[in-house]
């Protein structure tokens, strides 16, 4: 299972610009399991007749700032999707609730759907998103880090570099897929202890991490599992993956074959020739 990472969530965040300024008139809850706080009735009440002021992304979290001063946070987790405008039919409502766990209805009668096949997603209304534990513990955004800061962050840490890249407290937004891709592009073996990297390797890793994420954003993310853009269309970046999910296939850079190992419980793909231990 692949969770949407920074490029996928950033894609949705940018596409959600179309709902900024819209007023929510109702919330249709078909499965309250995805509502983490407050309780369903209060959740609906808190959202009625408020406007979407601004949408922010922090790591893999989306934050909808509301005209009431509160915020709605959305974590897609494994199978969450946001779809706008909804593919459901309004009025007769024959399709209503088939996929959408929660739908937000706006004053112009359009719907924003939150779909979530496996129900791991999390919707919350919070007074101040900055005070959330998740936010307080979140590492810096990759694009806010320069070479000097990255070296300071790595310090003398012995953690395996791929595990560290995926640690949201170390750096935010990177998950299994983009950690694999960035390490391949930087020619660094995923099992290398962070403190074994040379300064040159550290610089290259930061550069390739940013490049990978930027490219993925340009192609609207990777649709390998349930992730789709706001329109419901898949992202197009999966076809540019160099190593992810390519076990046994030929490396694009050499004659080697892509290998898969399990690292920290996650499928880890690399080229044993390009990325030496
Ligand atoms: Zn190779």
């Amino acid at each position: 299972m692949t969770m949407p990472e920074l490029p996928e969530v950033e894609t949705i965040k940018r596409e959600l610009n179309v709902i900024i300024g819209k007023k929510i008139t109702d919330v249709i809850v078909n499965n309250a399991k995805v509502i983490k706080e407050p309780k369903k009735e209060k959740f609906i009440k808190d959202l009625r007749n408020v406007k979407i002021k601004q949408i922010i992304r922090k790591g893999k979290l989306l934050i909808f700032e509301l005209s009431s001063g509160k915020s709605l946070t959305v974590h897609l987790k494994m199978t969450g999707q946001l779809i706008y405008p909804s593919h459901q039919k309004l009025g007769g409502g024959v399709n209503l609730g088939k996929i959408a766990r929660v739908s937000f209805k706006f004053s112009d009668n359009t719907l924003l759907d939150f779909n979530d096949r496996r129900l791991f997603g999390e919707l919350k209304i919070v007074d101040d998103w900055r005070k959330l534990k998740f936010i307080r513990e979140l590492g810096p955004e990759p694009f806010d880090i320069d070479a000097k800061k990255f070296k300071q962050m790595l310090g003398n840490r012995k953690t395996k570099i791929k595990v560290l890249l995926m640690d949201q407290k170390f750096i935010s937004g990177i998950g299994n897929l983009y950690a694999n891709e960035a390490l391949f592009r930087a020619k660094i073996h995923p099992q290398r202890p962070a403190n074994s990297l040379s300064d040159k390797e550290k610089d290259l890793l930061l550069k390739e991490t940013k490049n990978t994420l930027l490219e993925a954003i340009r192609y609207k993310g990777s649709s390998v599992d349930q992730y789709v853009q706001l329109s419901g269309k898949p992202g197009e970046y999966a076809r540019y993956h160099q190593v992810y999910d390519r076990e046994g296939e030929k490396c694009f850079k050499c004659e080697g074959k892509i290998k898969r190992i399990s690292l920290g419980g996650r499928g880890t793909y690399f080229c044993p020739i390009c990325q030496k231990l």
Side-chain angles (χ1 to χ4, degrees), residues 251 254 271 274:
C251 171
C254 74
C271 170
C274 295

Side-chain angles (χ1 to χ4, degrees), residues 2-263:
T2 310
M3 192 191 277
E5 303 178 24
L6 189 155
E8 288 76 34
V9 182
E10 178 65 21
T11 299
I12 294 173
K13 186 233 151 194
R14 293 180 185 186
E15 293 170 339
L16 278 169
N17 269 337
V18 294
I19 66 159
I20 290 173
K22 287 190 192 284
K23 187 163 96 179
I24 300 172
T25 51
D26 204 2
V27 184
I28 302 145
V29 179
N30 294 305
N31 193 321
K33 208 184 156 198
V34 293
I35 299 173
K36 298 298 167 192
E37 61 179 74
K39 291 242 186 307
K40 177 185 155 185
E41 290 70 28
K42 177 87 162 64
F43 182 89
I44 296 172
K45 194 168 162 261
D46 276 351
L47 288 172
R48 266 194 196 132
N49 297 315
V50 300
K51 282 185 179 172
I52 312 284
K53 255 179 66 187
Q54 200 187 171
I55 299 171
I56 299 164
R57 178 191 58 75
K58 288 284 172 192
K60 304 172 192 171
L61 185 74
L62 284 167
I63 301 154
F64 296 58
E65 287 189 340
L66 307 168
S67 56
S68 60
K70 296 186 179 195
S71 295
L72 165 69
T73 66
V74 178
H75 203 308
L76 300 171
K77 296 279 174 161
M78 291 296 186
T79 55
Q81 300 174 333
L82 282 168
I83 304 289
Y84 184 85
S86 169
H87 299 165
Q88 308 181 68
K89 287 190 187 77
L90 265 183
V94 280
N95 295 328
L96 209 65
K98 278 265 170 72
I99 327 164
R101 305 303 191 179
V102 176
S103 294
F104 305 90
K105 190 179 172 188
F106 297 106
S107 57
D108 61 3
N109 268 328
T110 58
L111 286 178
L112 169 68
D113 284 346
F114 180 74
N115 301 339
D116 192 358
R117 204 162 51 86
R118 300 275 300 268
L119 293 166
F120 292 134
E122 292 182 355
L123 306 179
K124 282 181 194 172
I125 293 172
V126 296
D127 288 333
D128 185 353
W129 61 265
R130 289 170 185 84
K131 288 185 182 154
L132 287 173
K133 188 168 176 274
F134 174 88
I135 295 291
R136 284 188 279 113
E137 292 180 350
L138 200 60
E141 282 281 317
F143 302 115
D144 294 340
I145 301 167
D146 61 17
K148 192 181 156 206
K149 184 170 180 181
F150 193 53
K151 282 180 198 117
Q152 280 170 2
M153 285 164 61
L154 289 166
N156 198 30
R157 299 182 69 149
K158 296 178 185 76
T159 315
K160 291 180 174 67
I161 189 64
K162 180 172 174 255
V163 175
L164 200 53
L165 282 182
M166 289 171 59
D167 179 354
Q168 299 305 296
K169 293 173 187 170
F170 175 75
I171 188 168
S172 68
I174 302 167
N176 192 37
L177 200 160
Y178 295 104
N180 279 306
E181 293 295 315
L183 286 165
F184 173 78
R185 289 166 62 139
K187 299 187 174 71
I188 296 168
H189 193 291
Q191 283 179 305
R192 295 259 311 270
N195 64 357
S196 76
L197 271 61
S198 68
D199 279 356
K200 216 176 137 190
E201 284 176 321
K202 288 172 187 167
D203 290 346
L204 188 62
L205 178 58
L206 179 65
K207 190 175 142 233
E208 291 299 352
T209 298
K210 291 181 188 177
N211 285 343
T212 306
L213 296 172
L214 284 172
E215 258 182 41
I217 292 169
R218 201 179 320 137
Y219 288 99
K220 317 279 185 196
S222 303
S223 287
V224 289
D225 275 315
Q226 296 290 305
Y227 163 74
V228 287
Q229 299 179 52
L230 194 63
S231 63
K233 280 196 300 189
E236 290 167 6
Y237 193 60
R239 73 174 87 146
Y240 300 102
H241 293 170
Q242 305 279 304
V243 287
Y244 182 78
D245 208 17
R246 296 194 63 241
E247 184 184 14
E249 290 176 46
K250 222 178 191 181
C251 171
F252 292 129
K253 297 266 157 68
C254 74
E255 292 300 300
K257 272 190 178 166
I258 304 304
K259 210 176 152 185
R260 182 191 187 278
I261 56 167
S262 181
L263 184 58

